[in-house]
Amino acid sequence: MTYTVPNGLSQDQRDHYETRGFACNIPVFSTDKVAQLRHEIETLEASHGAGANGQDLNQYFRVNGHVVIPLLAELAKTPAILDAVESILGDNLLVWSVELFIKEAHTEKTVSWHQDITYWGMGETNDEVTAWVALSDVTEQAGCMRFIPGSHKNGIVDHEDTQDENNLLSRGQQIAGIREEDAQMGALKPGEMSLHHGRCFHASGPNRSDDRRIGLAIRYVTPEVRDGLPGRDYAMLVRGTDAARGWVNIAGPRDVFHRADLSLYDKIIQDQQATLTAGAEHDIALYAGKEASA
Ligand SMILES: O=C(O)CCC(=O)C(=O)O
């Protein structure tokens, strides 16, 4: 579903997304705002470096951060982001997960070629879009994302688990046989975002720059994604309505790592775990121990 939202994507950006499965360099935040957001994230890292509830901070950064960290829930409601996503998904939007992908300067952390929705229990939906916002200068050297144009047009392909410890993905899952020469780079200036389709093949390289590479990934879905799916899953309504109520609608967090939100977080992870780990060749703990930093 696409239609014109006054402050949303241009026709060219929508066409690019439709034909290639991604769109890049969409301005969202000013340089000053990015500096402020980065400061807030780094302050949180300093004050909560030990994590919460027996889990390290990276667990909360890497999945469902919006459940326990108010800043991440608020960022998912940024009007400029919602307008752009509304241009693609329509006017009823929910947030399934908010995540931070941080690669420290001069580190080997990478993300292998994958399709996001492979293990998310959403079937092969067209109604999941990731907004990935650069909170640092995300150059090619810093390990920006790269995409295979048009790869979203087919279904979900086979992924193999690598369990590579330098891979930021939960099971190091990867699609074999990608032709690197077909890839298009998605370098972003601080404050710009890219949007990518849940079936678009994408990956990213190591950070060989002198600065941390900080990306904020927000996974948006529509009410229809849950149509006919078994089990329970959770999302936060950020625009329009969720009349179907296939999602368990959650509110934003009360405070940073509030006790009640931490309990909800555990419940959500427990309910999602069964779906996400289906078919894994090894026992895995979702994201835990997958340090984003060096
Ligand atoms: O941050 C990265 O390098 C990759 C992020 C990614 O795979 C995603 O947001 O789906």
Side-chain angles (χ1 to χ4, degrees):
M1 171 179 189
T2 60
Y3 62 96
T4 304
V5 181
N7 297 314
L9 297 182
S10 67
Q11 185 66 46
D12 276 359
Q13 287 168 325
R14 286 213 309 275
D15 289 349
H16 196 285
Y17 180 89
E18 292 289 323
T19 56
R20 296 180 204 194
F22 60 94
C24 294
N25 307 110
I26 302 158
V28 176
F29 295 124
S30 68
T31 315
D32 284 354
K33 181 69 180 174
V34 168
Q36 180 206 320
L37 293 174
R38 179 169 175 163
H39 177 71
E40 286 182 54
I41 288 164
E42 291 179 343
T43 301
L44 186 71
E45 287 177 306
S47 60
H48 290 82
N53 207 21
Q55 316 240 42
D56 66 29
L57 186 60
N58 194 51
Q59 165 73 32
Y60 300 105
F61 276 4
R62 281 293 290 109
V63 66
N64 295 332
H66 65 298
V67 178
V68 288
I69 302 172
L71 173 65
L72 299 186
E74 281 314 304
L75 286 173
K77 298 175 190 162
T78 303
I81 302 177
L82 293 178
D83 288 346
V85 175
E86 183 178 337
S87 305
I88 297 168
L89 292 184
D91 46 12
N92 298 316
L93 300 175
L94 301 103
V95 170
W96 181 71
S97 184
V98 182
E99 304 162 19
L100 283 166
F101 282 86
I102 301 177
K103 294 178 186 170
E104 300 298 337
H106 300 286
T107 54
E108 293 303 314
K109 299 292 176 189
T110 58
V111 170
S112 50
W113 285 107
H114 68 287
Q115 293 168 295
D116 285 337
I117 58 175
T118 307
Y119 302 115
W120 290 356
M122 297 180 190
E124 298 208 324
T125 186
N126 286 311
D127 282 352
E128 189 279 332
V129 170
T130 291
W132 196 101
V133 187
L135 299 181
S136 63
D137 196 5
V138 180
T139 58
E140 218 173 296
Q141 192 192 18
C144 69
M145 277 195 287
R146 53 196 199 281
F147 307 92
I148 300 293
S151 52
H152 65 303
K153 291 194 172 157
N154 298 313
I156 294 175
V157 303
D158 285 345
H159 289 60
E160 59 187 12
D161 294 350
T162 69
Q163 306 295 337
D164 174 4
E165 64 174 35
N166 270 332
N167 195 321
L168 294 182
L169 299 182
S170 55
R171 44 208 267 183
Q173 64 266 33
Q174 69 173 9
I175 303 168
I178 300 286
R179 286 159 37 100
E180 282 291 342
E181 60 271 35
D182 293 340
Q184 188 172 323
M185 290 292 168
L188 298 171
K189 289 275 165 226
E192 288 183 340
M193 73 169 173
S194 56
L195 298 174
H196 66 264
H197 186 289
R199 293 196 311 275
C200 179
F201 296 1
H202 59 289
S204 70
N207 181 2
R208 307 220 189 278
S209 79
D210 294 335
D211 191 17
R212 317 176 81 189
R213 193 219 69 164
I214 307 177
L216 168 76
I218 311 169
R219 321 291 186 182
Y220 292 97
V221 291
T222 67
E224 288 73 29
V225 171
R226 287 292 303 160
D227 285 355
L229 290 177
R232 280 156 69 84
D233 205 351
Y234 302 75
M236 179 176 75
L237 187 67
V238 287
R239 188 165 271 188
T241 55
D242 177 15
R245 283 298 179 131
W247 296 102
V248 180
N249 283 208
I250 62 163
R254 285 150 255 232
D255 201 352
V256 183
F257 297 128
H258 187 282
R259 184 190 296 264
D261 297 327
L262 287 167
S263 297
L264 175 62
Y265 184 96
D266 285 348
K267 169 80 180 130
I268 293 174
I269 290 288
Q270 224 173 41
D271 287 354
Q272 290 176 341
Q273 181 116 5
T275 312
L276 227 63
T277 58
E281 285 158 19
H282 305 271
D283 289 342
I284 56 171
L286 295 181
Y287 303 103
K290 300 291 284 186
E291 304 269 325
S293 53

